Every structure is written in structure tokens, then in C-alpha cells.
């Protein structure tokens, strides 16, 4: 079980990183660099990463991040706990200025997710698990973060939902592919409900399922651990599962290979 102070500290870190992202977002020109894998990188990614590395580093817990050269598995495999962070998830959405990008923070202890935070800088919407991973919440942040007890009181609890008429599937804005479309076609054959597709960027897809806006999120494309850890924590806290599409087992973290298998959230 996570201490409330640690949860509050990591929420504050996410918001501070979000503020740094917005400073770049509101500039007239967003300068873009290309990483080794050709994915885009901006000053916002680097600024948010620096803040999270500093703030979460204060806890003494090691960190896996998208924006650092991560520690070799020979050392990582002995970690009892670690942060898994994506300082700016949805860099393409950030560059396109559509607001659908997030700050992702998760904590892993003894191979189990212990907390998840997804913060949406443009809207100030904050999604977070409680310290016991038995519930998740949504809070509309406005310039000041209250103490943990007040934050929980003022937040709306996330509840998954199944509609009688529609089966809502959330897909990616940037990564919709043949395998995903095939999965959706199969759903249409298996259900009498109308299958409706929602598209959204970044880890917001997990938030839509955890909050009951959508019911299923299939991902048949490449993702890394930092793309999914916070979202999986949110989903697990509300009683949903994030399962490897082949093995039907929950996704694992701090693996030797930080790539995820294809997965389905439902």
C-alpha cells in the first residue's frame, strides 16, 4: 500500500510537469527534433522529464522514463520498486495542438502496479488511483492542489459502464491499423449492440474505459511500458483488466524488453 504523502507528491509532480509542457505549447512555434527511432521530441518532453526526474527522484525510488537512457536490465531486475513515467505521452497530439496529450506516472512494487496518475495539462483534468488501488478518480484541477483528503472528497469516482444499446470501442488517433479494424469487425459479429468507435490520443484511451465512456480498448500496435503503466493502474483500480492479446495475462512491467505485447482493455 502506498503512503498518501507519496501519492500526493507524485500528483503534484505531474501537475508541475504539465505546467512546463504548457509553457512550450503556448509558444508560437514548437520546435521538433527526431529521436533515434524517428519519433518526434520537443522541448516540452525534455522540460517535463527534468521536473519528474527531480521531483520523483526525491523519493529515492529509481525511475524508468521514455526520455532517459534506462538502466540495464541486469541492474533493473533487482529493483523492488520503480517509477514508470512518460513525461509527455502523445507528442504527435502535442505538435498537432489538439490538447490530447498527458503526463503519465505509475509506481511498481514487487512487480505490481501501486498507483497511477494521468494528467491532461490543457484541460487540467487529473485521473488518479487511490493509495490502496481499490478506486480511481477524476479531478478538475484549477491552479491549486488541495490536501489528499480534500482532493478525494472533491473528486469524482471512476466507474466502468456497459451500455445495453451500444458497444463503444476506443481507438487511437495516430495508430489505427488493419489488425484493430479486424478486431472491431469481429466484435460486430459477436454482439447485437451497435459498435461505435471513439478516437482519442495518448493514454486518454485508458481513461475513457476506466470512466465508463467506452467499454473496450484494443491495441494492436507498438507501445512501451511508459505508455501503458499509469493507464493500466487506473483500469485495475476500477476492476478492469489490461490483457496480453495472445496469453490473456495482465501486462507486466520492468521487463528486460520494455516493449509491450499487443493488448486489450475490457
Amino acid at each position: 500500500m502506498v503512503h498518501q504523502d507519496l501519492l500526493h507528491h507524485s500528483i503534484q509532480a505531474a501537475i508541475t510537469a504539465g505546467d512546463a509542457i504548457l509553457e512550450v505549447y503556448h509558444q508560437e512555434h514548437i520546435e521538433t527534433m527526431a529521436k533515434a527511432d524517428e519519433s518526434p521530441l520537443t522541448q516540452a518532453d525534455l522540460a517535463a522529464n527534468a521536473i519528474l526526474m527531480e521531483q520523483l527522484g526525491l523519493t529515492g525510488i529509481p525511475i524508468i522514463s521514455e526520455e532517459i537512457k534506462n538502466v540495464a536490465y541486469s541492474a533493473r531486475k533487482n529493483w523492488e520498486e520503480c517509477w514508470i513515467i512518460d513525461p509527455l505521452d502523445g507528442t504527435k497530439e502535442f505538435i498537432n495542438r489538439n490538447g490530447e496529450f498527458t503526463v503519465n506516472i505509475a509506481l511498481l512494487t514487487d512487480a505490481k502496479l501501486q498507483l497511477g496518475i494521468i494528467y491532461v495539462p490543457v484541460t487540467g483534468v487529473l485521473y488518479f488511483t487511490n493509495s490502496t488501488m481499490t478506486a480511481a478518480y477524476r479531478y478538475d484541477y484549477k491552479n491549486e492542489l488541495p490536501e489528499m483528503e480534500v482532493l478525494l472528497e472533491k473528486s469524482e469516482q471512476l466507474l466502468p459502464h456497459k451500455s445495453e444499446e451500444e458497444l463503444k470501442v476506443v481507438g487511437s488517433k495516430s495508430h489505427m491499423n488493419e489488425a484493430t479494424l479486424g478486431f472491431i469487425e469481429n466484435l460486430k459479429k459477436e454482439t447485437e449492440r451497435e459498435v461505435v468507435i471513439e478516437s482519442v490520443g495518448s493514454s486518454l484511451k485508458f481513461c475513457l474505459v476506466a470512466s465508463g465512456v467506452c467499454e473496450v480498448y484494443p491495441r494492436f500496435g507498438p507501445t512501451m511500458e511508459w505508455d501503458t503503466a499509469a493507464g493500466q493502474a487506473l483500469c485495475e483500480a476500477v476492476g478492469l483488466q489490461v490483457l496480453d492479446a495472445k496469453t490473456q495475462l495482465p501486462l507486466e512491467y520492468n521487463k528486460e524488453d520494455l516493449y509491450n505485447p499487443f493488448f486489450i482493455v475490457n
Side-chain angles (χ1 to χ4, degrees):
M1 182 172 138
V2 172
H3 198 280
Q4 293 270 35
D5 292 347
L6 186 64
L7 178 59
H8 196 267
H9 176 77
S10 43
I11 289 172
Q12 186 64 68
I15 290 170
T16 307
D19 289 344
I21 289 168
L22 287 180
E23 280 183 30
V24 180
Y25 190 66
H26 293 311
Q27 289 171 9
E28 203 166 310
H29 175 67
I30 297 175
E31 196 174 321
T32 311
M33 301 157 268
K35 291 197 276 198
D37 65 356
E38 297 298 311
S39 62
L41 178 71
T42 70
Q43 283 306 124
D45 296 81
L46 299 174
N49 186 65
I51 286 164
L52 294 184
M53 292 298 292
E54 180 193 4
Q55 291 294 315
L56 299 178
L58 294 172
T59 65
I61 299 168
I63 301 170
I64 293 173
S65 168
E66 177 169 22
E67 304 307 345
I68 61 172
K69 183 167 176 24
N70 284 297
V71 173
Y73 183 65
S74 55
R76 278 195 290 113
K77 69 180 182 186
N78 301 316
W79 289 355
E80 287 177 8
E81 58 183 348
C82 64
W83 297 104
I84 303 175
I85 64 170
D86 193 339
L88 200 175
D89 184 31
T91 302
K92 286 179 182 169
E93 319 303 337
F94 175 84
I95 293 164
N96 293 335
R97 295 185 194 263
N98 67 14
E100 294 176 3
F101 52 87
T102 56
V103 179
N104 298 349
I105 298 176
L107 180 67
L108 188 77
T109 308
D110 296 328
K112 283 196 164 49
L113 292 163
Q114 300 294 327
L115 69 79
I117 297 158
I118 294 178
Y119 178 58
V120 192
V122 166
T123 59
V125 174
L126 172 72
Y127 297 93
F128 64 99
T129 65
N130 63 0
S131 60
T132 54
M133 283 287 289
T134 53
Y137 300 88
R138 174 195 160 130
Y139 176 75
D140 292 313
Y141 170 76
K142 305 265 193 298
N143 304 322
E144 200 172 327
L145 187 69
E147 289 305 313
M148 204 65 225
E149 282 179 17
V150 180
L151 177 60
L152 286 166
E153 278 170 22
K154 292 191 169 180
S155 296
E156 173 195 342
Q157 190 170 345
L158 303 185
L159 296 168
H161 174 68
K162 188 173 180 178
S163 158
E164 297 300 316
E165 292 83 39
E166 290 181 336
L167 172 51
K168 279 196 176 175
V169 182
V170 62
S172 175
K173 270 253 163 83
S174 310
H175 305 280
M176 192 62 92
N177 59 18
E178 288 300 313
T180 310
L181 295 170
F183 175 85
I184 291 165
E185 283 308 309
N186 279 341
L187 277 184
K188 287 179 180 175
K189 290 173 192 163
E190 289 167 6
T191 182
E192 292 182 0
R193 294 184 285 165
E194 183 190 356
V195 176
V196 179
I197 302 169
E198 297 261 346
S199 287
V200 70
S202 72
S203 60
L204 283 167
K205 292 181 279 293
F206 290 97
C207 303
L208 289 189
V209 183
S211 56
V213 176
C214 293
E215 204 175 307
V216 185
Y217 166 31
R219 184 57 180 259
F220 298 101
T223 58
M224 305 294 289
E225 290 191 6
W226 44 75
D227 294 316
T228 60
Q232 181 165 337
L234 281 177
C235 287
E236 288 182 355
V238 301
L240 296 169
Q241 292 184 301
V242 181
L243 301 178
D244 180 324
K246 271 191 183 160
T247 66
Q248 295 297 299
L249 294 169
L251 297 196
E252 295 179 346
Y253 291 90
N254 193 21
K255 306 185 301 297
E256 183 167 6
D257 180 356
L258 295 169
Y259 273 94
N260 290 321
F262 296 167
F263 63 86
I264 298 163
V265 185
N266 63 14

